[in-house]
């Protein structure tokens, strides 16, 4: 009987560790999407009036990240953990760098698209790292994988537009 109780306690502890680790990964992805939302809002502000096409594209990307953030937050909540509301420190540093860089380079389309591609690369890397976590349940792994694939499409669109500015 004591062995069975110890076994049950060990399983509980392992499940708690897995739940916490999964929530941490999901919260990291929420922060990445928060960074993405703020980054595209900032990028929209930097564009000129003649860049309505990019402003519309960036609004779509903001909506995409808001949708992904909600799906991730739903999973965190289901795990009984607190949902992250902020942005990553690296995201804050990057946005500050965009401000400094803009002073020297202006707000032309190519610069804005270069900055956006840098952010998209960071998002792809964050999702890749999340998928490398071994303890993530299959349903959450699938959610992360689907979001990563969709974000890759957005990345490729930004890159295509940036390359067209040559």
């Amino acid at each position: 009987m004591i062995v069975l109780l110890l076994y049950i306690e060990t399983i509980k502890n392992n499940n708690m560790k897995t739940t916490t680790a999964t929530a941490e990964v999901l919260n990291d992805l929420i922060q990445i999407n928060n960074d993405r939302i703020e980054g595209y809002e900032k990028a929209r502000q930097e564009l000129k009036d003649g860049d309505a096409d990019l402003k519309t594209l960036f609004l779509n990307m903001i909506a995409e990240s808001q949708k992904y953030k909600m799906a991730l937050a739903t999973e965190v909540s289901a795990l009984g953990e607190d949902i992250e509301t902020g942005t990553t420190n690296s995201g804050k540093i990057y946005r500050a760098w965009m401000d400094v860089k803009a002073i020297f380079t202006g707000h032309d389309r190519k610069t804005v698209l270069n900055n956006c591609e840098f952010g998209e690369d960071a998002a792809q890397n964050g999702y890749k790292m999340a998928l490398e976590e071994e303890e993530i349940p299959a349903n959450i792994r699938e959610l992360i994988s689907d979001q990563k694939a969709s974000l890759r499409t957005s990345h490729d669109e930004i890159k295509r537009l940036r390359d067209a500015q040559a």
Side-chain angles (χ1 to χ4, degrees):
M1 182 70 164
I2 292 175
V3 172
L4 180 59
L5 290 174
L6 288 173
Y7 177 73
I8 291 170
E9 190 63 31
T10 301
I11 290 173
K12 276 188 197 175
N13 286 339
N14 287 340
N15 285 341
M16 286 175 57
K17 287 178 187 174
T18 300
T19 297
T20 301
T22 299
E24 286 175 7
V25 168
L26 292 170
N27 273 321
D28 286 346
L29 296 178
I30 288 170
Q31 286 183 312
I32 286 169
N33 278 284
N34 286 341
D35 283 343
R36 197 167 178 263
I37 290 165
E38 284 193 27
Y40 279 114
E41 286 173 350
K42 178 158 190 51
R44 287 187 77 241
Q45 294 167 3
E46 292 181 0
L47 291 169
K48 295 175 177 58
D49 291 339
D51 296 318
D53 60 327
L54 289 184
K55 287 184 178 192
T56 299
L57 176 66
F58 294 171
L59 269 179
N60 291 338
M61 292 188 175
I62 290 167
E64 177 182 53
S65 274
Q66 287 170 333
K67 180 177 99 175
Y68 294 161
K69 181 174 92 168
M70 289 306 298
L72 296 165
T74 298
E75 294 297 335
V76 172
S77 182
L79 293 170
E81 299 287 334
D82 292 333
I83 299 165
E84 186 58 55
T85 58
T87 58
T88 63
N89 284 332
S90 60
K92 291 172 188 166
I93 292 166
Y94 175 68
R95 284 187 299 282
W97 168 242
M98 281 176 61
D99 288 341
V100 171
K101 188 176 174 184
I103 292 168
F104 298 106
T105 60
H107 301 291
D108 63 278
R109 281 175 73 97
K110 186 167 186 172
T111 300
V112 170
L113 289 166
N114 269 329
N115 291 339
C116 290
E117 186 186 5
F118 180 86
E120 290 295 331
D121 287 342
Q124 282 295 305
N125 190 45
Y127 272 80
K128 178 180 176 275
M129 289 171 53
L131 289 169
E132 290 172 355
E133 291 291 326
E134 294 178 9
E135 296 180 4
I136 299 204
N139 65 316
I140 293 176
R141 183 174 301 283
E142 184 177 349
L143 171 69
I144 293 169
S145 183
D146 289 348
Q147 287 187 6
K148 182 181 184 302
S150 182
L151 289 172
R152 183 64 197 193
T153 301
S154 296
H155 169 276
D156 293 348
E157 176 68 5
I158 293 294
K159 185 178 184 319
R160 183 189 67 74
L161 289 167
R162 194 262 341 256
D163 290 348
Q165 297 302 307

